[in-house]
Amino acid sequence: DTGVSQDPRHKITKRGQNVTFRCDPISEHNRLYWYRQTLGQGPEFLTYFQNEAQLEKSRLLSDRFSAERPKGSFSTLEIQRTEQGDSAMYLCASSLGPREGINEKLFFGSGTQLSVL
Amino acid sequence: AQKVTQAQTEISVVEKEDVTLDCVYETRDTTYYLFWYKQPPSGELVFLIRRNSFDEQNEISGRYSWNFQKSTSSFNFTITASQVVDSAVYFCALSGTSYDKVIFGPGTSLSVIP
């Protein structure tokens, strides 16, 4: 069990550029979540997958954000035409899906810190 | 609406003092789950505990204890005899049967001073 890994750890980009982040969940986990965290705030939900299906996307999420999880393994989060307000830590988490109605705990990666200049 | 409130933004204590972190939640679900996560300076969120809404027994794990009170919609976290290594941001979180995603509170930053 190597944990949840995210790549890159840091990304600096210019406003208007596109960026893509990758998340590799724990192998047997069928759920994968993306959160965004800004300084002094709690993680804010962006979207989540059950296997390859994207089950929910936050209404706060701009159309510039898109996420995929092909084959239900790793996931990518793409931000198009980045804006300075997109600067944040992007966190990925994985978990086993609910078992017997019990929501399982999340395992988090170290995050990707995005800075938009 | 589902919401988690952590009224204490920052707490500072001297080592060996006890400290309680408050968490108040709102949900319309009758079945829900409460969590505490720790985020040390290194940044990675670490799971501490999960509680379901039908289990109001308090739990103790070493120096950590949790007090779940449904009547006041609170799930407070106490660290006994705090240590410098307890310095971190602590998040209370909530999920329920009508919304699988985990909703986090704003966090409480705890500083334990030697």
Side-chain angles (χ1 to χ4, degrees), chain B residues 8 11-21 63-65 77-83 86 110 112:
Chain B
Q8 304 148 309
I11 299 177
S12 185
V13 298
V14 176
E15 201 171 20
K16 297 184 183 176
E17 284 184 351
D18 299 347
V19 58
T20 295
L21 311 182
R63 296 183 298 107
Y64 295 170
S65 62
F77 173 30
T78 298
I79 302 174
T80 303
S82 58
Q83 300 176 1
D86 295 328
L110 174 66
V112 180

Side-chain angles (χ1 to χ4, degrees), chain B residues 40-70:
Chain B
S42 60
E44 194 165 314
L45 280 139
V46 176
F47 167 85
L48 295 178
I49 189 171
R50 177 187 64 211
R51 220 52 183 154
N52 74 52
S53 51
F54 296 110
D55 183 359
E56 288 192 70
Q57 274 194 328
N58 291 331
E59 180 155 343
I60 298 175
S61 175
R63 296 183 298 107
Y64 295 170
S65 62
W66 290 269
N67 184 324
F68 175 32
Q69 292 201 339
K70 230 170 169 176

Side-chain angles (χ1 to χ4, degrees), chain A residues 73-90:
Chain A
S73 56
F74 72 92
S75 176
T76 57
L77 176 68
E78 181 183 16
I79 309 174
Q80 296 182 326
R81 305 181 302 282
T82 53
E83 301 172 357
Q84 288 185 327
D86 297 331
S87 296
M89 175 74 81
Y90 289 84

Side-chain angles (χ1 to χ4, degrees), chain B:
Chain B
Q2 294 77 35
K3 187 179 177 182
V4 177
T5 302
Q6 294 178 258
Q8 304 148 309
T9 306
E10 294 182 6
I11 299 177
S12 185
V13 298
V14 176
E15 201 171 20
K16 297 184 183 176
E17 284 184 351
D18 299 347
V19 58
T20 295
L21 311 182
D22 298 333
C23 172
V24 174
Y25 62 92
E26 293 175 33
T27 181
R28 288 175 292 194
D29 283 358
T30 53
T31 300
Y32 53 89
Y33 305 89
L34 295 162
F35 304 80
W36 276 95
Y37 284 82
K38 174 182 180 180
Q39 189 172 38
S42 60
E44 194 165 314
L45 280 139
V46 176
F47 167 85
L48 295 178
I49 189 171
R50 177 187 64 211
R51 220 52 183 154
N52 74 52
S53 51
F54 296 110
D55 183 359
E56 288 192 70
Q57 274 194 328
N58 291 331
E59 180 155 343
I60 298 175
S61 175
R63 296 183 298 107
Y64 295 170
S65 62
W66 290 269
N67 184 324
F68 175 32
Q69 292 201 339
K70 230 170 169 176
S71 60
T72 55
S73 297
S74 66
F75 186 46
N76 296 338
F77 173 30
T78 298
I79 302 174
T80 303
S82 58
Q83 300 176 1
V84 172
V85 293
D86 295 328
S87 297
V89 182
Y90 291 86
F91 294 98
C92 182
L94 168 70
S95 73
T97 49
S98 67
Y99 53 100
D100 281 335
K101 63 181 181 283
V102 179
I103 297 168
F104 286 81
T108 297
S109 178
L110 174 66
S111 296
V112 180
I113 302 164

